[in-house]
Amino acid sequence: MPRDPRGWMPRPPAPSSCSLSLFLSLSRLLGPQLASAGTFRALKEPLAFLRALELLFAIFAFATCGGYSGGLRLSVDCANKTESDLSIDVAFAYPFRLHQVTFEVPTCEGKERQKVSLIGDSSSSAEFFVTVAVFAFLYSLAATVVYIFFQNKYRENNRGPLIDFIVTVVFSFLWLVGSSAWAKGLSDVKVATDPKEVLLLMSACKQPSNKCTAVHSPVMSSLNTSVVFGFLNFILWAGNIWFVFKETGWHSSSQRYLSDPMEKHSSSYNRGGYNQDSYGSSSGYNQQASLGPSSDEFGQQSAAPASFTNQM
């Protein structure tokens, strides 16, 4: 170990070398366990693969909705040009409490200005949608970790698959309700932030001498994407119900219930077929045995007229 030139005490190792040695030691400890278990092979199965997709789609759903911020710009050109305002910015964002969004516009009647607020409140549907997406992301993450690293314990008894099945059904219903509610809320947001509707709220725009125009409209592409991801999440969770149901004891018991009557039916059919064959063979034999006279008797009957002819 290198020594400090100012004394005999050894210098401590650099932080980079400490972190590197720690990483190498952890990789030596955990690497063989992960490699020997073949943990990531579970992602090739439909159950874990769909959970991973649900995790990814949930991120897109709450990111496109919860991270939205937009706005529009209006222009009011008064008859008196000194009272005009050609750049009125109206900004709004998640959770879309539009009735709390206020802005000032000129009245075109001196220096007075009018305070205007948007109409509507879509916070309940937006927050419910984002809440469902966040909890779905957390559950999908936890379920994926269980599938990959604790698959043996997951399938050890029926409790884990049963809980997984119930939660999957519940989240499927929540995704359907949340996506439908947010689609309706988004339509209300589009109407409330339409520049034509906002211009109707201004008193200056009701006077024909003033000219009110919309400079640009809000961009709603990310919000439309969030609704699409919401319904895609519903399809994924609803489709995953079958694969989770196959892991429960209900599926195995129903398979046994269906297989038992079929086995009984097949065994009874085999016994009936055997008796029918034996019956057919015996009856055919008896029928052949009793089918008219034999060839010897027929020969004797034909020889009698021949001897009578010789005597004549």
Side-chain angles (χ1 to χ4, degrees):
M1 181 175 293
R3 297 179 180 274
D4 193 347
R6 293 176 297 178
W8 292 96
M9 297 299 296
R11 289 180 296 178
S16 59
S17 61
C18 292
S19 59
L20 180 61
S21 61
L22 180 61
F23 174 76
L24 293 176
S25 60
L26 289 176
S27 62
R28 284 195 297 267
L29 291 175
L30 299 179
Q33 295 179 2
L34 296 178
S36 62
T39 52
F40 290 96
R41 288 182 299 178
L43 290 175
K44 297 180 180 180
E45 299 180 1
L47 185 64
F49 180 72
L50 288 177
R51 279 285 183 255
L53 286 181
E54 291 167 0
L55 187 150
L56 186 63
F57 278 43
I59 295 175
F60 292 150
F62 71 75
T64 52
C65 179
Y68 177 82
S69 62
L72 63 152
R73 179 172 294 177
L74 307 174
S75 173
V76 178
D77 190 6
C78 301
N80 186 2
K81 301 300 182 182
T82 59
E83 300 174 357
S84 301
D85 191 349
L86 303 180
S87 180
I88 304 173
D89 293 324
V90 182
F92 60 95
Y94 174 84
F96 306 104
R97 294 187 177 93
L98 300 180
H99 64 283
Q100 298 180 357
V101 177
T102 59
F103 55 97
E104 292 184 353
V105 296
T107 59
C108 296
E109 297 177 355
K111 297 182 179 180
E112 296 181 0
R113 296 183 70 87
Q114 179 187 5
K115 191 174 184 180
V116 182
S117 61
L118 298 179
I119 300 175
D121 184 7
S122 301
S123 60
S124 58
S125 59
E127 289 177 345
F128 180 75
F129 179 80
V130 172
T131 301
V132 172
V134 170
F135 279 101
F137 162 74
L138 295 176
Y139 181 79
S140 299
L141 179 61
T144 305
V145 171
V146 171
Y147 294 158
I148 294 175
F149 298 101
F150 306 101
Q151 190 173 14
N152 295 330
K153 293 183 178 180
Y154 172 78
R155 295 177 175 174
E156 186 176 358
N157 51 36
N158 194 34
R159 180 178 300 177
L162 185 60
I163 295 175
D164 195 13
F165 174 74
I166 295 174
V167 174
T168 303
V169 173
V170 171
F171 267 108
S172 300
F173 176 74
L174 291 178
W175 272 118
L176 178 61
V177 174
S179 301
S180 302
W182 171 230
K184 176 60 172 61
L186 178 58
S187 65
D188 295 339
V189 171
K190 289 181 178 179
V191 172
T193 57
D194 187 3
K196 295 180 181 180
E197 297 293 331
V198 178
L199 290 176
L200 296 177
L201 302 175
M202 304 178 186
S203 60
C205 299
K206 297 177 182 179
Q207 301 175 7
S209 59
N210 302 323
K211 184 179 180 181
C212 300
T213 57
V215 178
H216 68 77
S217 302
V219 180
M220 300 286 186
S221 57
S222 62
L223 296 181
N224 295 330
T225 306
S226 67
V227 175
V228 173
F229 277 114
F231 284 105
L232 286 177
N233 274 286
F234 163 69
I235 295 173
L236 283 175
W237 284 81
N240 203 15
I241 291 176
W242 167 247
F243 296 103
V244 180
F245 176 73
K246 290 174 65 177
E247 300 292 333
T248 62
W250 296 341
H251 179 263
S252 58
S253 62
S254 62
Q255 291 294 105
R256 288 195 302 267
Y257 177 76
L258 293 175
S259 62
D260 291 342
M262 294 186 66
E263 292 177 357
K264 293 180 181 179
H265 179 71
S266 61
S267 61
S268 62
Y269 178 79
N270 292 331
R271 288 197 300 270
Y274 174 78
N275 295 331
Q276 185 178 3
D277 293 340
S278 61
Y279 174 77
S281 60
S282 61
S283 62
Y285 175 78
N286 294 331
Q287 184 178 3
Q288 184 179 3
S290 60
L291 187 66
S294 62
S295 59
D296 296 337
E297 293 177 355
F298 182 79
Q300 292 176 1
Q301 291 178 0
S302 61
S307 61
F308 179 74
T309 305
N310 293 331
Q311 290 177 3
M312 292 295 292

